[in-house]
Amino acid sequence: MSAAIRGVVPPVVTPLTEDRELDRESLERSLERMLDAGVHGLFALGSSGEVVFSTDARRDEILSATVQAVAGRVPVLAGVIDMQTERVIEHTRRAADLGADAVVATAPFYALGGEREMEEHFRAIAASTELPVYAYDIPVCVHRKLGVELLVRLGAEGVIAGVKDSSGDDVSFRQLVIRNREEDAGLALLTGHEVVVDGAYLAGADGSVPGLGNVDPAGYVRQWDAAQRGDWQAVSEEQDRLTRLMRIAAADVTATGFGAGVGSFKTALRELGVFTTNQMPRPVAAQGEEAARRVREILTAEGMLGA
C-alpha cells in the first residue's frame, strides 16, 4: 500500500458489550457499513477508538479484529499512542505484526518536552519500523502543538508520511499545506476537524479523518467526491448538513469531552442499528435516554432515521 493515503479515513469507534468487552459483531457491521460507503482507509485505535482506555491486550484485540474484517480492501492505520517513546515503539512493532499498513503517533506526553524531544521521538519511531509513520497533532490531549517547520522537515527527510491534524488550528493547517507544497515535503495532510472539512479541502488537504464519519460515512465520501470534481457548492452544502448532524455531540448536556463526543457517536450508531449498545469505557458513563431522544431527533431531521 502507498504511504500517501488520501480521501476519507474514519477513526473507528470501538463498540463494547454491556460488560465492556469488545463487541466484535457490532465492530464488523460498522466496518462493513463504512467500506460499503466507499471510505478510502480506516484508522483503528485513534482517540475515537478508545486507545488510551485500552490495555495492551485490548489494543491487540481491536486492531486484529479490524485488520481481519477489512481484509486488505483499504489501508488500516493503527494508533500507537502512548506517553513516551519506548512504549510507542512497542506498540508500533505490535501493529506491524498484526498487519497494520501504517501507524499514527502523537507527541510524547506526561513527561513533557520541547521541539527537540518531539523530533527525536518521531525519528526513533520511524527508525524502529518499515511502516509509514503519521504524526497526530492533537494538543488538547498531549499539551504540545506540532510545529509546521518540524512537520515539513520530518516529511522532507522521509521520517513521517503524513499528518492527522486535530489541532483545531485552521491557520496553522493552512500554513502547513503551503509549506508542504513549497518544500515538496510529500506529506499526506488529513484534517480531523469534522465541521470545516470543506475549508481544509479548499486549502489543499489530502483527506479527512472525521469521527462523525462512523455515523455518516456516505456523507463524507460524497463530499470528497464533490471536491475531486471541483463542485465546491456541493462540498459546502454537504458540510452544512454534516455540521447540523454534528449537533448530536451536544445531545447529552450532562457530559463533557469523550462522553459527549464519542458517546454521542455510539448512541447514534445504536439508534441506527449498527451497535448493540452505547456502552463506554470506565470511568465514562454511557448516555441515557434523554440524550438518546435528542440524538434520534437530529438523526431524523437529517434524514438518517425514518420520521
Side-chain angles (χ1 to χ4, degrees):
M1 297 263 184
S2 170
I5 295 170
R6 301 177 75 246
V8 180
V9 186
V12 179
V13 173
T14 299
L16 301 177
T17 66
E18 291 292 354
D19 294 331
R20 294 188 173 87
E21 299 298 326
L22 176 64
D23 182 348
R24 189 162 182 148
E25 290 184 2
S26 291
L27 176 62
E28 291 174 357
R29 276 197 300 273
S30 185
L31 293 170
E32 287 298 329
R33 180 170 176 264
M34 290 187 280
L35 289 165
D36 288 346
V39 301
H40 307 92
L42 291 160
F43 174 26
L45 295 173
S47 301
S48 298
E50 301 179 4
V51 63
V52 297
F53 294 94
S54 298
T55 64
D56 288 359
R58 176 58 58 81
R59 290 185 188 218
D60 283 1
E61 188 180 15
I62 293 168
L63 181 56
S64 177
T66 301
V67 169
Q68 289 177 28
V70 172
R73 286 175 284 178
V74 297
V76 174
L77 288 70
V80 292
I81 297 158
D82 215 315
M83 292 182 290
Q84 300 301 138
T85 305
E86 301 308 325
R87 287 285 295 157
V88 174
I89 289 173
E90 288 180 356
H91 296 312
T92 298
R93 289 171 175 159
R94 190 62 183 149
D97 289 344
L98 292 173
D101 297 296
V103 294
V104 185
T106 68
F109 51 97
Y110 190 82
L112 298 177
E115 184 167 297
R116 182 175 64 84
E117 288 78 14
M118 291 192 290
E119 180 167 351
E120 175 55 30
H121 176 70
F122 285 105
R123 291 187 183 278
I125 297 166
S128 75
T129 184
E130 295 183 358
L131 293 179
V133 177
Y134 281 70
Y136 187 175
D137 191 15
I138 185 166
V140 68
C141 291
V142 304
H143 307 293
R144 285 290 182 268
K145 177 82 175 71
L146 297 175
V148 169
E149 295 304 320
L150 170 63
L151 293 170
V152 170
R153 180 166 66 251
L154 293 175
E157 295 181 23
V159 177
I160 60 174
V163 179
K164 191 245 180 180
D165 186 286
S166 293
S167 69
D169 186 341
D170 297 323
V171 174
S172 177
F173 186 78
R174 185 66 175 259
Q175 293 288 357
L176 178 59
V177 171
I178 293 170
R179 292 290 292 138
N180 185 49
R181 184 169 60 241
E182 288 175 343
E183 298 299 319
D184 195 22
L187 292 170
L189 302 179
L190 310 173
T191 180
H193 204 339
E194 285 107 329
V195 299
V196 292
V197 174
D198 54 347
Y201 287 167
L202 191 60
D206 297 295
S208 61
V209 189
L212 188 64
N214 289 263
V215 178
D216 190 3
Y220 281 101
V221 171
R222 285 195 301 269
Q223 184 186 46
W224 170 258
D225 290 344
Q228 298 314 290
R229 63 178 184 267
D231 186 350
W232 295 106
Q233 181 175 347
V235 171
S236 178
E237 289 173 353
E238 194 69 58
Q239 185 66 75
D240 285 347
R241 192 188 65 79
L242 291 164
T243 300
R244 292 193 300 270
L245 183 61
M246 190 63 180
R247 291 171 182 166
I248 62 174
D252 189 343
V253 297
T254 69
T256 59
F258 195 77
V262 175
S264 70
F265 298 159
K266 287 194 176 190
T267 298
L269 287 163
R270 185 192 65 184
E271 298 302 315
L272 291 168
V274 181
F275 282 11
T276 302
T277 80
N278 66 344
Q279 183 63 283
M280 300 293 285
R282 291 192 295 185
V284 184
Q287 294 183 354
E289 180 51 37
E290 182 58 26
R293 181 186 64 78
R294 294 190 181 100
V295 168
R296 286 194 295 272
E297 289 177 351
I298 295 167
L299 291 172
T300 301
E302 298 310 319
M304 299 196 69
L305 275 179

